[in-house]
Amino acid sequence: MSPPSRNPVLGIVLGAAGVAAGVAAGIAADRAGRHRAALDALETTEQLEITPDEERVLLTSDGVALHVEIDEPAPEAAAAAAQGLTSGDDPGRLPTVILTHGYCLSLKSWVYQRRALKAAGFRVVSWDHRGHGQSGPGASDSYVIDQLGEDLRMVIEDTAPEGYLVLAGHSMGGMTMLALGERHPDLIRDRVAGAAFISTSAGGLTLANGGRSATLGRLLLERVGPSVLGPLGERPELIRRLRRVGRDVEEFLVDQNSFASPVPRKVVRYTADMLLSTPFDVINDYLTTFDGFDKRPALAEFKDTVTLVFNGRQDVLTPPAHSELIVEGIPGAEHVVVNDAGHIIMLEHPDLLSAHLLELVEEGTRAREQHIELPRRPRVRRIVTDVAKNRRQRRIELEADEVVRAERARALARLRRAKVAAGSKEEVRRES
């Protein structure tokens, strides 16, 4: 039997996409006004772009160009950070922080943390996975976690060949850290002062098991992904047109599935651009790497490393149960669960995460410099609430309600005027 033509598949997919968009819009209709008003009320003039101090392109052994950005702290900031923290107050002994992003995102997702770490005096390296952001594509069979671990090793060797390291990984980035630890345990043991596993999984549980909608989305990707994403990947110009038409629905769906509390519209748009700019063939080819993923044995390689496990309580992709397994595998790791937080937590609660990362960097550096043996204490789990953001949110919700009421009043007034105008025209026609 000959393989089916791709054009009919594409037609079916686009038809299904149109129906799905219509259904989504219908479901969202009752909430869209208030949702839009809340986003508008949250909007700020803050810029989300960051200019690195240095950019590099690293060529992997299989010919993939990896995009890397480096943020260098001001000398006075580094000197202040080293004061009382490193031997001889030497800034040169401060760790380099390596940030590794998640699936379908890019190094841009770390914008807030990069700013905070650099301002605090620490050198920061962030990079794009193969097929993501500004990095080049790889062969389809290279989109596996083990290869990403080797890519991370290469980034470290090029940008921070000596000195202490603090590794932070979000989602697939945390999985990449485990692959690095599995293949290169000596690197973790000898150089890694701190590790942050953010909204990620070590395996042992199904991804996206956070509820019916998440499970449905996962099953859709698993069953339809290869037949849908491949053909769409060959029509990028069509995808761009569809995105322009459905921007409101797109923003709504990204917001609802990435965040569990209101964020500025600019942040929603920023996230959507990262998620939906990832080539569809790359999204499709990466899917199989999550099947049967299990790196729990590699957690043992971080047992002598100060470790932070950080995730959102409402994360539908990697719920707290995934983080619990990580903490169980790393004695003494701190587990922070954030209320009203979804999967893209570094953009939803940026200040909270940045504060915990800075604490991790300092604690890890101090432990290395003073040769402090980490206590084999029971795992620690804290549930925290971003109080400052909650206060802003309550104020914004009140403002949003006022905006919606005003919009409804104006719409009703317009409707009445239209009815009066229509009645006047009808009377004129009758008289004539």
Side-chain angles (χ1 to χ4, degrees), residues 11-35:
I12 293 171
V13 169
L14 294 179
V19 172
V23 171
I27 293 173
D30 291 339
R31 301 163 58 192
R34 190 171 186 273
H35 176 261

Side-chain angles (χ1 to χ4, degrees), residues 188-201:
I188 306 300
R189 181 182 62 250
D190 297 340
R191 297 188 57 200
V192 177
F197 295 93
I198 302 163
S199 301
T200 188
S201 175

Side-chain angles (χ1 to χ4, degrees), residues 11-29 216-217 220 224 228 232 242 246 248-250 252-254 257:
I12 293 171
V13 169
L14 294 179
V19 172
V23 171
I27 293 173
L216 178 61
L220 182 64
V224 184
V228 168
L232 285 178
L242 288 172
D248 284 344
V249 173
E250 177 183 292
F252 179 82
L253 293 176
V254 168
N257 290 283

Side-chain angles (χ1 to χ4, degrees), residues 103 105 109 170 199 254 257-259 271 274-275 315 341-349:
Y103 178 54
L105 295 173
S109 62
H170 171 257
S199 301
V254 168
N257 290 283
S258 300
F259 310 110
T271 305
M274 280 189 287
L275 289 169
D315 186 337
H343 190 62
I344 315 297
I345 198 167
M346 62 284 208
L347 292 174
E348 183 176 15
H349 295 276

Side-chain angles (χ1 to χ4, degrees), residues 269-292:
R269 182 79 262 140
Y270 188 74
T271 305
D273 286 342
M274 280 189 287
L275 289 169
L276 299 170
S277 293
T278 308
F280 274 49
D281 57 336
V282 172
I283 296 173
N284 177 48
D285 291 339
Y286 264 103
L287 285 176
T288 56
T289 196
F290 303 118
D291 293 339

Side-chain angles (χ1 to χ4, degrees), residues 98-102 110 113 167-175 177 195-201 307-312 315 318 323 326 336 342-347 353-354 356-357 360:
I98 311 287
L99 302 177
T100 304
H101 70 79
W110 297 108
Q113 289 70 45
L167 305 180
H170 171 257
S171 193
M172 190 170 73
M175 299 175 181
M177 288 165 53
F197 295 93
I198 302 163
S199 301
T200 188
S201 175
T307 302
L308 168 69
V309 182
F310 194 93
N311 73 292
D315 186 337
T318 52
S323 294
I326 296 176
V336 176
H343 190 62
I344 315 297
I345 198 167
M346 62 284 208
L347 292 174
L353 176 57
S354 295
H356 279 84
L357 285 179
L360 171 72

Side-chain angles (χ1 to χ4, degrees), residues 129-172:
H129 284 299
R130 53 179 60 210
H132 291 71
Q134 296 184 62
S135 286
S140 60
D141 59 1
S142 75
Y143 294 141
V144 293
I145 300 299
D146 286 341
Q147 179 59 58
L148 300 186
E150 290 303 310
D151 291 347
L152 174 56
R153 179 187 61 81
M154 180 181 176
V155 170
I156 291 171
E157 287 183 350
D158 185 88
T159 63
E162 298 177 346
Y164 298 138
L165 302 169
V166 172
L167 305 180
H170 171 257
S171 193
M172 190 170 73

